[in-house]
Amino acid sequence: MLHLTTMSLSLLLLLAAVANAEVVNFQPCADSVDTCTIDQVRVEPCTQAEQNAACHIRRRRPSTISFEFTPKFDADRLEASLGWAKSETEELPLVTMDREACKATTCPIRAGVQQTYTLTVPIEAKFPLRSYTIRWALTDPVTSKRCCFTHDIKVVR
């Protein structure tokens, strides 16, 4: 009989979620175009991706995001950030997010080597029902070089 540890089971569930995720439209951040290429972004659940519409993210349910990125810089570690991009220069961060990106991707990172970052984000009941442009970034804390992009979501009941 096969026995799976809790970690193995969690990894299998995460891989299954990523395999079922939808590829979504995104925009690279202007300041990271020269330092990183975002190759693909997937969100689970996002049935609206087929219509190129904002993902409907339900409150009180987790959402998994996974993206492939190819940095043009080396870094021993990365800091993650996620926030509501109110404008090009103004962002309201998700303060409950774990900023240690190396928990969700392999570190150190090397220039020209594609990697995948995968994270499940709890969507709290207190999030207002509305549309958002959210900004994801993985930043080298030493040089401030980053991989960054935005995509649209709509928080729904």
Side-chain angles (χ1 to χ4, degrees):
M1 176 178 261
L2 178 66
H3 294 285
L4 294 176
T5 65
T6 303
M7 187 171 185
S8 296
L9 184 57
S10 296
L11 181 60
L12 286 174
L13 291 173
L14 180 61
L15 290 173
V18 170
N20 292 326
E22 299 291 336
V23 175
V24 299
N25 287 335
F26 66 93
Q27 294 297 316
C29 299
D31 69 343
S32 72
V33 170
D34 294 333
T35 59
C36 188
T37 301
I38 304 297
D39 302 299
Q40 189 176 73
V41 177
R42 292 175 306 282
V43 176
E44 206 290 311
C46 186
T47 57
Q48 297 74 26
E50 291 180 8
Q51 293 82 33
N52 294 320
C55 298
H56 289 194
I57 306 297
R58 296 200 177 281
R59 289 194 302 192
R60 297 186 182 100
R61 295 193 185 153
S63 181
T64 299
I65 185 158
S66 179
F67 57 91
E68 277 84 36
F69 65 101
T70 305
K72 298 176 186 172
F73 60 92
D74 293 342
D76 290 331
R77 66 184 203 78
L78 294 172
E79 292 180 351
S81 64
L82 166 62
W84 171 26
K86 296 176 84 173
S87 71
E88 193 63 37
T89 58
E90 187 179 7
E91 181 175 311
L92 183 61
L94 178 62
V95 294
T96 58
M97 182 177 164
D98 188 347
R99 296 188 43 86
E100 291 185 45
C102 295
K103 291 179 180 178
T105 193
T106 304
C107 289
I109 65 165
R110 296 295 169 239
V113 178
Q114 185 183 63
Q115 292 196 216
T116 302
Y117 176 88
T118 303
L119 186 69
T120 299
V121 180
I123 309 302
E124 299 175 28
K126 66 182 178 183
F127 288 179
L129 301 174
R130 61 168 291 163
S131 296
Y132 298 90
T133 296
I134 59 172
R135 183 179 297 127
W136 284 90
L138 302 178
T139 306
D140 175 3
V142 175
T143 66
S144 296
K145 292 179 180 177
R146 69 183 191 158
C147 295
C148 176
F149 67 92
T150 61
H151 73 97
D152 294 329
I153 65 167
K154 183 174 185 178
V155 177
V156 297
R157 291 191 197 278

